[in-house]
Every structure is written in structure tokens, then in C-alpha cells.
Amino acid sequence: MTRSLQLAIHASADAAGMSLATRISHLVDHRPDAIIGVATGSSPVPVYQGLKRLVSAGLDLSQVVWFALDEYVGLPVGHRESYRCVLERILIRPLGLDPARLHVPDPHRATPEDVALAYDQEIVAAGGVDLQILGIGANGHIGFNEPGTPFDSHTRVTELSSRTRLDNARFFSSLSETPGMCVTQGIATISKAGHLALIASGKAKAAAVAAALLGDVNEDCPASALQLHPSVSVDLDPEAALLIDERKLGVAISASINGH
Ligand code: F6R
């Protein structure tokens, strides 16, 4: 298998986001109805802000179809921290997009298990994800595939680790309000995307990023599955790249510290 890994260390998280947003705009120029997988949380926010700037400058995203990676189970319908609401707030409304083009597993529509099963089929029926935006958990999770998740996992209902729940509690008024269950795309589901675009910033992510790119490929670090994918890009700020050793990586860092 030919592997393509483009790793760029940018001057800031905003610059990393703008770089990925620009590459997404190139994809959409070439394929206006591209299918883009979207992550929630803090990491992709600069990407969506970058896309907003590009839309203001004329980029047309109206035909794009968006698929979310995951959704909490256990929140009331319409809760502002449900990933449907978050993505509408940080992506769909600011960019003037049609909410009907955003697919998010809806655990209220049927049993969460049935919703999970149907979600993989929805992705396939839409033609498959062209580019999947990924954040990474401090414990190496992608989507909500926590350490120990098999690489052949599909979309399913699963539990968040106590570490992830604690990390996510910053979005809720208390830990007890923070959901412990979710529907997440599995690692096999994520790996079917044509391209995986990981974005990370901050020193809390440095160890996970290094383990994902340089460590052993196994279920202890779910993001190490990226090493098995033929087309991956990684956009980091300097803090998230602190433990990346170019010699160990075996690929040239394509754009070293960019000005902006
Ligand atoms: C979110 C998701 C998670 C996050 C990860 C990092 O949809 O699937 O894998 O990307 O937990 O979260 P942040 O970016 O908030 O540090």
C-alpha cells in the first residue's frame, strides 16, 4: 500500500485550522458535492472559522454533505451541548448552510443501537466520506473510540472513558450532567474515508499525537489506526508537535513552522 502522510506544524492553532480549511476548499472546488466528515469539540473550531472566511470570500459549500463522527446518548432532545446543536452553532449557521445536509446520529429517533446500525448504511448510501476531520483525545481516542476499541469496529453505542468524560465536563455545568454514553463511528467506519485529516493543538495532545504517529499500531492507541490509512494529513500547532521527532517519523514534515 502506498501511504501518504502530510504533516505540517503551524505557528498557531488558527493557522493549522486555516490550512486544513484551504485544503477542504480545494476539494470542494474539484467536487462541489463532496462528503465531509466533521468532528466536534475544540480542535476543529479553527477549521470551521477558516471555512467561514473562505465562504465570505466566495467559496460555495452549499452542495456539500456533512456527516458527524459521534453524538451523546442521554441528553434531552435539543440540548445545547448535543453534537447536533453544537455543529449547527459552530458550522451550519455561521456558514449559512442547510441543516438538512448535516447528518448526526439521532439517538432519539429509534433505539440508539438501531440508530448506530443505520448510520453506517447512511454513510455508504451517500457515497462514503471523502475527507474526515478528526480531533484526538488525550488518551488517543478518535471519534469516541476509546483505548481497547478493535480496529474493525463500526458505528455503535459505547461508553466514554472516565478521562474523556472529565475532559468533556468543561462543556457542562457539572460532571454528573456530562453524558457517559454515545453513538460513535467505529474505527473501521472512520478508516473508510478517502482522506483522514487530523488536527490538534496544545501540549495536552502532544503525547497522544506522538503515540498515534510514531507509536506501535494497536488498540491501546485508537489513533494509531491512522498509520494503516493510505491518505492522512496532520495539522498541528507547535505545542501539539512537541514530541514529534521527524527522524523517527520517517517522512519529511511537509511544511515546517509556517508564518501564518
Ligand atoms: C468529537 C470527537 C472527539 C474529539 C476529541 C478531542 O466529535 O469525536 O474525538 O475530537 O475528544 O476533543 P477536543 O477537540 O475538544 O480536545
Side-chain angles (χ1 to χ4, degrees), residues 136 198 207-217 221 223-227:
I136 185 169
L198 179 70
V209 168
L213 302 182
L214 299 168
D216 293 342
V217 178
C221 178
S224 66
L226 268 62
Q227 294 183 42

Coordinates of all heavy atoms in Angstrom, one line a residue, residues 136 198 207-217 221 223-227:
I136 N -8.3 14.5 18.3 CA -7.7 13.4 19.1 C -7.9 13.6 20.6 O -7.7 14.7 21.1 CB -6.3 13.1 18.7 CG1 -5.7 11.8 19.3 CG2 -5.4 14.3 19.0 CD1 -4.3 11.4 18.8
L198 N -6.3 14.9 10.5 CA -6.2 15.1 12.0 C -5.7 16.5 12.3 O -4.8 17.0 11.7 CB -5.2 14.1 12.6 CG -5.0 14.2 14.1 CD1 -6.2 13.7 14.8 CD2 -3.8 13.3 14.5
A207 N 1.4 14.0 23.7 CA 1.8 12.6 23.9 C 0.9 11.7 23.0 O 1.3 10.8 22.4 CB 1.6 12.2 25.3
A208 N -0.4 12.1 22.9 CA -1.3 11.3 22.1 C -1.0 11.4 20.6 O -1.0 10.4 19.9 CB -2.8 11.8 22.3
V209 N -0.6 12.6 20.1 CA -0.2 12.8 18.7 C 1.0 11.9 18.4 O 1.1 11.2 17.4 CB 0.0 14.3 18.4 CG1 0.7 14.4 17.1 CG2 -1.3 15.0 18.5
A210 N 2.0 12.0 19.3 CA 3.3 11.2 19.1 C 2.9 9.7 19.1 O 3.4 8.9 18.3 CB 4.3 11.5 20.2
A211 N 2.1 9.2 20.0 CA 1.8 7.8 20.1 C 1.0 7.4 18.8 O 1.3 6.3 18.3 CB 0.9 7.5 21.3
A212 N 0.2 8.3 18.3 CA -0.6 8.0 17.1 C 0.3 7.8 15.9 O 0.1 6.9 15.1 CB -1.7 9.0 16.9
L213 N 1.2 8.7 15.8 CA 2.0 8.7 14.5 C 3.3 7.9 14.6 O 3.8 7.4 13.6 CB 2.4 10.2 14.2 CG 1.2 11.1 14.0 CD1 1.7 12.5 13.6 CD2 0.2 10.6 12.9
L214 N 3.9 7.8 15.8 CA 5.2 7.2 16.0 C 5.1 5.9 16.8 O 6.1 5.1 16.8 CB 6.2 8.1 16.7 CG 6.5 9.4 16.0 CD1 7.2 10.4 17.0 CD2 7.3 9.2 14.8
G215 N 4.1 5.7 17.5 CA 4.0 4.5 18.4 C 3.6 3.2 17.7 O 3.4 3.2 16.5
D216 N 3.5 2.2 18.5 CA 3.0 0.9 17.9 C 1.6 1.0 17.4 O 0.8 1.8 18.0 CB 3.0 -0.2 19.0 CG 4.5 -0.5 19.5 OD1 5.4 -0.1 18.7 OD2 4.6 -1.1 20.6
V217 N 1.3 0.3 16.4 CA -0.1 0.3 15.9 C -0.9 -0.8 16.6 O -0.7 -1.9 16.4 CB -0.1 0.0 14.4 CG1 -1.5 0.0 13.8 CG2 0.7 1.1 13.6
C221 N -3.8 2.6 21.4 CA -3.9 3.9 20.9 C -4.8 3.9 19.7 O -4.3 3.6 18.6 CB -2.6 4.5 20.6 SG -2.7 6.2 19.9
A223 N -5.9 6.0 17.7 CA -5.5 6.9 16.6 C -4.3 6.3 15.9 O -4.0 6.8 14.8 CB -5.2 8.3 17.1
S224 N -3.7 5.3 16.4 CA -2.6 4.7 15.7 C -3.1 4.0 14.4 O -2.3 3.7 13.5 CB -1.8 3.7 16.5 OG -2.6 2.6 16.9
A225 N -4.4 3.8 14.3 CA -5.0 3.3 13.1 C -4.7 4.2 11.9 O -4.8 3.7 10.7 CB -6.5 3.1 13.3
L226 N -4.4 5.4 12.2 CA -4.0 6.3 11.1 C -2.8 5.8 10.3 O -2.7 6.1 9.1 CB -3.8 7.8 11.6 CG -4.9 8.7 11.6 CD1 -6.1 8.3 12.5 CD2 -4.5 10.1 12.0
Q227 N -2.0 5.1 11.0 CA -0.7 4.6 10.3 C -1.1 3.5 9.3 O -0.3 3.2 8.5 CB 0.2 4.0 11.4 CG 0.8 5.0 12.3 CD 1.8 4.4 13.3 OE1 2.6 3.6 12.9 NE2 1.8 4.8 14.5

